[in-house]
Amino acid sequence: MSTQPEALPRSDPSLLAPEYVRGIARYEPGKPIDELARELGLAVRDIVKLASNENPRGPSQAVRAAIAAATEDLSRYPDGNGFALKAALAARYRVAADQIVLGNGSNDVLELVTQAFLRPGDQTVYSRHSFAVYPLATQARGATGIEVPAKDYGHDLPAMRAAITRTTRIVFVANPNNPTGTWVAPPAVEAFIASVPADVVVVLDEAYNEYLDTAQNAPSAAWVGHYPNLVVSRTFSKAYGLAALRVGYGIMDPKIADLLNRVRQPFNVNGLAQAAAVAALADIAYVEESRRLNRDGMRTLEEGFTALGLAWLPSHANFLLVKVGDAGRIYSRLLQLGVIVRPVANYGLPEWLRVTIGLPAENHRFLAALKQALAG
Ligand SMILES: Cc1ncc(COP(=O)(O)O)c(C=O)c1O
């Protein structure tokens, strides 16, 4: 005879989870190339994917060599403290190693901040049309996200400041922003950080930082010394071309870093990723070339959109948001033509598509397919 109490939902074990977990809408990633190739019966090489803001060049030769060398050590656990990578980052950004937390992608850093600081009932604040993980990570902790209306598709920082209440624990700012590509100049960002109460953590998400012109770069690592409630997050997934390896980092006050290090998995960044990131960080010329390629590709796409009579948003990142009308239909037609981009209806932008800037041939293939898709 079972001794299980009647109240336990034996038929549906998912009912055991808190309601706020059951209510989470899953993150929709860009469609994988293999999946579309299978669906269309095409070769993988015939598919163009411009959907997840990756560096179309992939990692540099030096990084590939570092990864190959690191495969010699696969049977050992990685360095759980990431000594070499933290030392390289600390030297580059003139911070102490104990101010850095490594993550399984910068997504991990965002999650760790919510894990460390949020209780059910707390609030977070973020902008409309900003990165989908902020509401997801908020909801996973039983907290409530306050979405602040955007201004010209970007962050309205005064309105975000006004939305902060006594229950707000975290405010997220993506700069440049995904999916809109908007960017706020450093003085306004710093003024915002200075205005936020000291008991609210500011997460400044700079995943696309490396695509900014050097003159636009904010001294955000140095700001951490002035604002102990600031967490700056960065990634190796974008300009460094290492999205598959999953490695990112946060720069913050050592006391916040200590908290995040307590809640993270002991070996959250794998050994290949650590070795690759150290090599990638040293390869400054590669990032500069990638930025140049991105700028040229952006011009190609902008000219192409103009020729097609389409509106787009000026972008500071490695993607563009283009207004195509019935974006769901155009997205499906592009898929049929072997081109994967990103619909952004889930970001409140049902008439727009987000396209990652690719290699020159990929950009031209996309523009030709877009012209065909628009023509019906
Ligand atoms: C604004 C922003 N932040 C963070 C991330 C997370 O990237 P990763 O976990 O690969 O570092 C992304 C990825 O698309 C992003 O667009």
Side-chain angles (χ1 to χ4, degrees):
M1 274 259 294
S2 163
T3 54
Q4 205 155 22
E6 267 317 298
L8 265 186
R10 295 163 61 102
S11 58
D12 182 356
S14 75
L15 294 173
L16 293 166
E19 205 176 326
Y20 56 80
V21 171
R22 284 184 277 130
I24 293 172
R26 259 199 288 173
Y27 179 82
E28 288 288 341
K31 193 175 182 70
I33 293 179
D34 286 339
E35 193 177 299
L36 185 62
R38 273 196 308 276
E39 285 171 9
L40 297 183
L42 287 177
V44 163
R45 66 172 178 281
D46 292 330
I47 309 272
V48 169
K49 184 184 177 203
L50 301 172
S52 300
N53 304 340
E54 297 129 337
N55 183 338
R57 307 168 74 204
S60 70
Q61 284 309 324
V63 173
R64 289 172 203 265
I67 295 168
T71 61
E72 297 295 326
D73 244 356
L74 290 181
S75 63
R76 306 251 173 233
Y77 281 96
D79 176 355
N81 287 318
F83 177 84
L85 179 52
K86 281 190 197 170
L89 288 166
R92 169 68 61 85
Y93 296 111
R94 300 204 177 101
V95 294
D98 67 0
Q99 289 181 269
I100 298 168
V101 173
L102 302 181
N104 189 262
S106 61
N107 201 141
D108 193 21
V109 176
L110 303 176
E111 295 277 353
L112 291 173
V113 175
T114 61
Q115 197 177 338
F117 287 97
L118 292 182
R119 298 173 192 83
D122 286 343
Q123 283 179 356
T124 67
V125 168
Y126 44 80
S127 176
R128 180 147 176 81
H129 314 312
S130 193
F131 189 39
V133 163
Y134 311 149
L136 284 177
T138 298
Q139 195 176 345
R141 306 284 156 211
T144 303
I146 305 297
E147 188 182 84
V148 177
K151 189 175 169 199
D152 300 329
Y153 297 96
H155 287 68
D156 183 345
L157 293 181
M160 290 179 71
R161 171 65 190 87
I164 292 172
T165 67
R166 282 221 300 270
T167 39
T168 307
R169 291 275 68 84
I170 303 172
V171 52
F172 294 98
V173 175
N175 205 37
N177 185 43
N178 174 23
T180 60
T182 53
W183 173 75
V184 181
V189 177
E190 188 179 8
F192 171 74
I193 296 165
S195 77
V196 171
D199 59 355
V200 175
V201 176
V202 181
V203 176
L204 180 58
D205 179 345
E206 297 188 326
Y208 300 95
N209 174 69
E210 288 77 9
Y211 285 106
L212 293 171
D213 291 332
T214 317
Q216 295 175 315
N217 263 290
S220 44
W223 287 345
V224 168
H226 302 293
Y227 308 104
N229 56 335
L230 174 64
V231 172
V232 176
S233 72
R234 303 255 183 92
T235 186
F236 286 92
S237 298
K238 308 297 179 185
Y240 292 102
L242 291 174
L245 284 182
R246 314 301 303 125
V247 50
Y249 60 96
I251 302 175
M252 63 206 81
D253 185 273
K255 288 205 163 63
I256 295 188
D258 179 42
L259 279 179
L260 268 51
N261 279 320
R262 291 189 225 179
V263 294
R264 72 174 170 81
Q265 281 184 43
F267 303 103
N268 61 334
V269 181
N270 74 74
L272 301 188
Q274 290 187 37
V278 169
L281 197 65
D283 208 343
I284 292 169
Y286 194 80
V287 174
E288 272 170 18
E289 285 158 24
S290 298
R291 191 183 307 132
R292 220 169 13 248
L293 184 82
N294 187 63
R295 201 174 307 129
D296 293 347
M298 183 149 350
R299 210 169 301 128
T300 302
L301 291 189
E302 289 173 349
E303 285 168 7
F305 295 152
T306 303
L308 291 170
L310 299 173
W312 79 89
L313 292 186
S315 170
H316 290 85
N318 66 337
F319 52 84
L320 277 164
L321 209 53
V322 59
K323 195 171 189 180
V324 295
D326 184 350
R329 197 171 47 122
I330 302 297
Y331 168 70
S332 301
R333 286 196 183 143
L334 286 170
L335 286 182
Q336 293 306 311
L337 297 166
V339 177
I340 310 172
V341 296
R342 195 67 161 266
V344 282
N346 59 328
Y347 284 100
L349 298 161
E351 293 184 277
W352 300 75
L353 290 174
R354 192 192 70 194
V355 54
T356 304
I357 290 150
L359 297 170
E362 294 173 323
N363 297 332
H364 288 295
R365 165 99 184 267
F366 160 69
L367 285 173
L370 182 60
K371 186 175 181 182
Q372 212 177 324
L374 289 166

